[in-house]
Amino acid sequence: MAGEAGMFTVQQTVGTVLCCKCGILMAPNAANMCVKCLRSEVDITEGLQKHLIIIHCPECDCYLQPPRTWIKAQVESKELLTFCVKRLKNLNKVRLIHAEFIWTEPHSKRLKVKLKVQKEVLNGAVLEQAYMVEYVVQDQMCESCSRVQANPDQWVAAVQLRQHVSHRRTFFYLEQLILKHDAAVRAIRIKQLDRGIDFFFSNRSHAVKFVEFIQKVVPIKSRHDKQLVSQDSKSNNYNYKYTFSVEICPICREDLVCLPPKLAANLGNLGPIVICTKVSNNIALLDPLTLRHCFLDAEQYWRTSFTSLLSSKQLVEYVVLDVDPISSEVNVGGSKYVMADVQVARVSDFGKNDTIFFVRTHLGHLLNSGDYALGYDLHAANSNDMEIGKYKGLVIPEVILVKKSYEEQRLKKRGKRRSWTLKKLPIEVDVSDTRGRVDEEKMDNEYEQFKRDIEENPELRFNISLYRDKEYQPSEMGSVTDGEDAPSVPFEELLDDLNDLRINDGAADVDGQDDDDDEDDDDGGMKE
């Protein structure tokens, strides 16, 4: 502005001095030497380690942190970079600015890390220099892996999960929870049995931690015992094998339950015919005729220990003839319901008789005329539950609808691949405890039903991880369907499988400072 007004201005210039060693022009600094001369006089990386040996377990992909700690880290991850930097001695004599991996051949057994450090040198001048550290990776199995390789059955603690029901839906769901939270990462062996799964651990504390995790996600009761393996009376050392017996509550989602009279009275005369809507560390029960609900924790359940009146395998398909809502939408325990009077008929009765049932249901917000629904046929059911006989004058409804059926819509999509997939635990199947092909087909059908439950229930998807299927190819032409389509998992809820992605975390800012300058990657620089 002063120039535009015609005033005299003094131009700002940057002063230069001659280097005291080579005599070239340079910006002034505290040492009065250029960068090249200063590097020739002082090497700030002198005395720092540039070669190191690290121990790696090839079985569990862990690295030894002396003296006896094993750290799990993936190649070129931030965890491995932090581990490598912390192994260097005398690094506290300089200031670490940046660290990153340099790519090496996977079979070379070498890791190279480029470090950028700063240090104050002559007369307060700060010199910055980059150098490379080479790590030689030596393979050596850790204690637990060595024990497993020597004898796979050499376990210290075993957790026996059992559930006395005719299906494995609970174990499918539990498997996904275990995978998401890495609860069984310390298990040396997992074995599948007829009514449950056995987990074997090399340490008792790992088994205790696993049982505590199971207790947080499902209602259980457990007991433990130990067996003496060997002893040394002179040193007073004893070796035990520990066994944890865990029984999971037999009440599953969508089961029909008749509450014991004493429990129903304690819950405010709820039911007594109720539906189990959700199972976590609590059991959620809903009265479909009044929309009253309650939650039972593990202690309350095992105090009475009732069983299911009917299970999901006994669901019957009905066709909805008419729907008459009698209430507005109600939020019950986080789920929305609408009471309605519905006329339904069994699909199996078509062409045989004209039997129509008039029922009251909590699914008025989902059902329309012409839809299909799954429910329990109490009119024709033959139940030997002792709890029903304890109620005098109890009026049992002929039909209790549980959920909407999408079987007709699924028939149109039969043979099409899902866009998502699930991970599985490395479970060994006990051949002596199965019936071969019969059990395999039964397992496949139950797993398919579990996948359908995931698609229909967003609350079920909230606690598990779904991954994109790499082999899925969407159809170029959208399918034209009449009416409502079968439920599916939204694509934005799916995760990428990290095992198939290249981890690009090689460059990491170890001391928490950003590398905000775009300097050349030469061997040095100088700052004031």
Side-chain angles (χ1 to χ4, degrees), residues 36-69:
K36 292 183 178 180
C37 294
L38 192 58
R39 285 210 315 266
S40 65
E41 291 288 331
V42 181
D43 183 13
I44 65 174
T45 64
E46 185 178 359
L48 301 180
Q49 285 183 298
K50 297 181 175 63
H51 297 278
L52 203 65
I53 296 176
I54 57 177
I55 307 300
H56 171 250
C57 177
E59 296 295 327
C60 59
D61 206 16
C62 293
Y63 294 86
L64 176 63
Q65 176 72 46
R68 297 182 60 182
T69 305

Side-chain angles (χ1 to χ4, degrees), residues 342-403:
V342 182
Q343 297 182 27
V344 296
R346 286 189 292 253
V347 175
S348 58
D349 287 347
F350 275 15
K352 299 180 181 178
N353 56 58
D354 298 330
T355 305
I356 296 177
F357 299 98
F358 296 85
V359 299
R360 179 162 292 184
T361 181
H362 60 294
L363 304 177
H365 62 300
L366 295 176
L367 299 179
N368 297 304
S369 299
D371 288 345
Y372 292 87
L374 294 175
Y376 293 108
D377 187 4
L378 299 180
H379 176 72
N382 184 13
S383 175
N384 56 359
D385 192 279
M386 297 179 61
E387 302 298 338
I388 293 184
K390 296 179 182 179
Y391 291 94
K392 297 181 180 180
L394 177 63
V395 179
I396 301 177
E398 294 180 317
V399 175
I400 293 182
L401 300 181
V402 176
K403 64 178 181 179

Side-chain angles (χ1 to χ4, degrees), residues 228-244:
L228 181 63
V229 177
S230 62
Q231 64 173 333
D232 186 357
S233 57
K234 294 183 179 180
S235 60
N236 202 26
N237 290 333
Y238 297 86
N239 293 325
Y240 292 97
K241 277 193 173 183
Y242 301 89
T243 302
F244 296 83

Side-chain angles (χ1 to χ4, degrees), residues 446-458:
E446 291 178 352
Y447 201 69
E448 174 64 24
Q449 185 59 45
F450 172 67
K451 288 184 175 181
R452 293 182 180 182
D453 292 341
I454 291 176
E455 293 175 334
E456 296 175 8
N457 194 343

Side-chain angles (χ1 to χ4, degrees), residues 48-279:
L48 301 180
Q49 285 183 298
K50 297 181 175 63
H51 297 278
L52 203 65
I53 296 176
I54 57 177
I55 307 300
H56 171 250
C57 177
E59 296 295 327
C60 59
D61 206 16
C62 293
Y63 294 86
L64 176 63
Q65 176 72 46
R68 297 182 60 182
T69 305
W70 290 87
I71 299 175
K72 190 173 183 63
Q74 299 293 330
V75 178
E76 294 192 0
S77 64
K78 290 184 179 180
E79 293 79 9
L80 182 58
L81 183 61
T82 304
F83 166 77
C84 292
V85 171
K86 286 184 176 180
R87 289 296 311 276
L88 297 175
K89 297 179 180 179
N90 301 329
L91 199 60
N92 55 352
K93 294 182 179 180
V94 295
R95 183 188 178 193
L96 181 61
I97 299 300
H98 187 68
E100 64 180 358
F101 280 109
I102 299 176
W103 187 84
T104 56
E105 290 286 348
H107 62 272
S108 65
K109 298 297 181 181
R110 298 290 188 275
L111 293 177
K112 293 183 179 181
V113 178
K114 182 179 180 182
L115 301 177
K116 189 179 292 185
V117 295
Q118 285 183 354
K119 186 179 181 181
E120 186 176 332
V121 290
L122 303 175
N123 299 326
V126 178
L127 182 64
E128 182 177 299
Q129 187 173 345
Y131 73 105
M132 185 186 68
V133 181
E134 184 179 52
Y135 297 84
V136 179
V137 181
Q138 292 186 355
D139 287 340
Q140 176 183 326
M141 284 193 293
C142 59
E143 294 180 4
S144 60
C145 294
S146 300
R147 192 181 297 113
V148 173
Q149 290 292 332
N151 183 4
D153 293 328
Q154 196 172 358
W155 50 270
V156 175
V159 179
Q160 300 173 347
L161 280 181
R162 298 292 183 269
Q163 187 184 31
H164 301 294
V165 293
S166 59
H167 57 80
R168 302 186 65 87
R169 290 168 53 197
T170 303
F171 291 106
F172 293 147
Y173 178 62
L174 201 57
E175 179 184 18
Q176 299 305 316
L177 291 178
I178 292 172
L179 285 169
K180 182 176 182 179
H181 298 279
D182 286 335
V185 69
R186 297 286 187 179
I188 61 176
R189 186 185 177 194
I190 305 175
K191 184 178 179 181
Q192 176 180 311
L193 300 176
D194 183 29
R195 292 287 179 93
I197 305 177
D198 287 352
F199 294 82
F200 300 93
F201 298 89
S202 60
N203 197 315
R204 180 181 180 273
S205 61
H206 298 159
V208 172
K209 187 176 180 181
F210 180 74
V211 173
E212 290 176 352
F213 169 78
I214 298 297
Q215 191 173 11
K216 293 178 182 178
V217 294
V218 288
I220 65 169
K221 69 174 181 180
S222 62
R223 59 181 298 269
H224 62 276
D225 204 350
K226 62 182 180 181
Q227 179 183 4
L228 181 63
V229 177
S230 62
Q231 64 173 333
D232 186 357
S233 57
K234 294 183 179 180
S235 60
N236 202 26
N237 290 333
Y238 297 86
N239 293 325
Y240 292 97
K241 277 193 173 183
Y242 301 89
T243 302
F244 296 83
S245 178
V246 180
E247 182 180 352
I248 302 175
C249 162
I251 305 297
C252 301
R253 194 172 58 86
E254 298 175 356
D255 282 1
L256 190 67
V257 176
C258 180
L259 297 175
K262 187 176 179 180
L263 179 61
N266 293 337
L267 297 175
N269 292 323
L270 179 71
I273 306 296
V274 294
I275 299 174
C276 178
T277 57
K278 184 179 180 181
V279 177

Side-chain angles (χ1 to χ4, degrees), residues 300-319:
Q300 289 175 307
Y301 170 77
W302 293 111
R303 198 179 300 154
T304 54
S305 187
F306 53 88
T307 58
S308 300
L309 182 64
L310 295 172
S311 66
S312 57
K313 281 196 169 184
Q314 297 165 287
L315 289 171
V316 179
E317 190 173 17
Y318 293 86
V319 61

